[in-house]
Structures are given as structure tokens and as C-alpha cells.
Amino acid sequence: MLLIGVFCLPIAPFLPLSGRYRLLNLYNHFLMVWFRVACGVRYEIEGRENLPSGPCVIQANHQCEWETVFLQVMKPPVCTVLKQELLRFPIFGWALRLLHPIALDRSRPARAMKQVLTQGVTRLQSGLSVLIFPEGTRVEPGVRKRYNKSGSVIACRAGVPVLPVAHNAGERWPGRHWVKRPGVLRVRIGAPITTDGKTSDNVNAEVEAWIETQLQEISDVPRPLKAS
């Protein structure tokens, strides 16, 4: 991160947005490789052929930091919905600001929801994809929470598909622990879910059903049948 900050961050503001993503994503590519080499993790990533050519709303389960790294390089450029506290970190937060995220104040949920709906549609119309975690926060493997439909709402309003992603990254990179675990990290990228003629509730139900079905197959930790 220090090297990226010294050599890349001063250049990034002078580049177009697509160039910023390519430059700053060098950090994410490095983390992906280093995690595999240093921690003995083997990646099994299925469904890359499902990535659409145009903008979409990417919805994935959220277990740890790893998927935030992977999803940035999976289909760039992508605008991430995140908590505004992340923008305050030196170097890391400065780089995030340059990528036009949707930074939310989680202490004001009504305002945060309005911000997601308005800025999310604007980002999609400008050609950016939007990444949102429907669970709203990190969820431990083996725990299930209700899916928020905000991602499905902005997809329906913008008329773009939802790209569902399921993974078991939290079993290899525990969210609240420093120790990482060797083994197989599985990722499945689903076929885009169209929003034409559908309500946001219908789309959200399809997203949750697909992700949860995949998690039952790829997780080493059993999945509960219902959300807590």
C-alpha cells in the first residue's frame, strides 16, 4: 500500500477514471496473488463468461475483505457502496475517493438509502457498474441475514441487469481475525438477472435464492435455511 501511495497515487488524479482503476487496481492484483502464494490458498473461480459487457449491479455475499478486493478487479470500472469511514484512512481512503464510490453515513439510514438510490442510478447511467452487498455488512460463514433490496431497486430504475456472485472467502480469510487459512476459495459468478418487467422485490428474491443455493454447495460451513 505504501508503494502504491508513493508511486501511483500522485499520478492517479490526472488520469481518466478508467485509467485510475487500472493503476490503483495494481494493489488489488498484488493482494490476490500474495494471498494465494503466502497463505496456500487455491482459487476456483467459475462463471467469468457471464460477465456482461455493459454496466450492471454486482451483488455478492459479504464475509471479509477478500471479496472487496476481488470484485474490484472482476469487472472494472465499478463503483462501490461503502461506509464513509473508509475514506478517512491515509493512502487507502485517498485512493478510494478517486474511484467515485458511494460513501454512506450509516448513522443516518434514511439519508443513506436515498443516497444509494440517487447516486447508484447516476453511476450506472454514466457507464459504471455498481457493487453493493445486500446483507449490508460482513456476515460470518454459517450465518444468514436478510437481503436488502436497494441494489435491486437501482438496477430496476436504471434498466440494467444484476450480476450475482457467491463465494466462501470468509472460510479462508476470517473477517475479524489476522490468521488466514489455507484451502480452496470458491467463487461462482452467475448469469445476469434481467430486470425488464420485474419488480425490485422479484429481482431481490431471485438474487437471494441464487446466492444462497450456491453457498449451500460451495461452503464448508453449513448454511442455515432462514435468515436471522
Side-chain angles (χ1 to χ4, degrees), residues 178-191:
W178 287 99
V179 177
K180 308 300 185 281
R181 300 168 182 164
V184 181
L185 195 162
R186 303 178 182 89
V187 179
R188 289 187 181 176
I189 304 167

Side-chain angles (χ1 to χ4, degrees), residues 80-87 96 101-106 131:
T80 305
V81 179
L82 46 79
K83 55 186 179 182
Q84 66 179 11
E85 293 88 345
L86 293 176
L87 302 183
L96 277 180
I102 301 175
L104 305 180
D105 181 356
R106 296 195 297 183
L131 166 62

Side-chain angles (χ1 to χ4, degrees), residues 156 193-203 206:
C156 290
I193 297 174
T194 61
T195 57
D196 295 339
K198 298 178 183 177
T199 67
S200 57
D201 288 324
N202 295 147
V203 174
E206 286 187 50

Side-chain angles (χ1 to χ4, degrees), residues 152-226:
S152 299
V153 171
I154 62 174
C156 290
R157 288 188 178 184
V160 302
V162 172
L163 185 70
V165 180
H167 62 85
N168 71 332
E171 297 169 12
R172 309 277 73 84
W173 183 317
R176 291 174 175 82
H177 300 280
W178 287 99
V179 177
K180 308 300 185 281
R181 300 168 182 164
V184 181
L185 195 162
R186 303 178 182 89
V187 179
R188 289 187 181 176
I189 304 167
I193 297 174
T194 61
T195 57
D196 295 339
K198 298 178 183 177
T199 67
S200 57
D201 288 324
N202 295 147
V203 174
N204 194 55
E206 286 187 50
V207 171
E208 181 172 5
W210 187 89
I211 291 177
E212 289 298 327
T213 297
Q214 305 309 309
L215 288 176
Q216 289 175 9
E217 296 179 5
I218 66 177
S219 299
D220 297 330
V221 179
R223 297 290 300 174
L225 296 177
K226 295 184 178 180

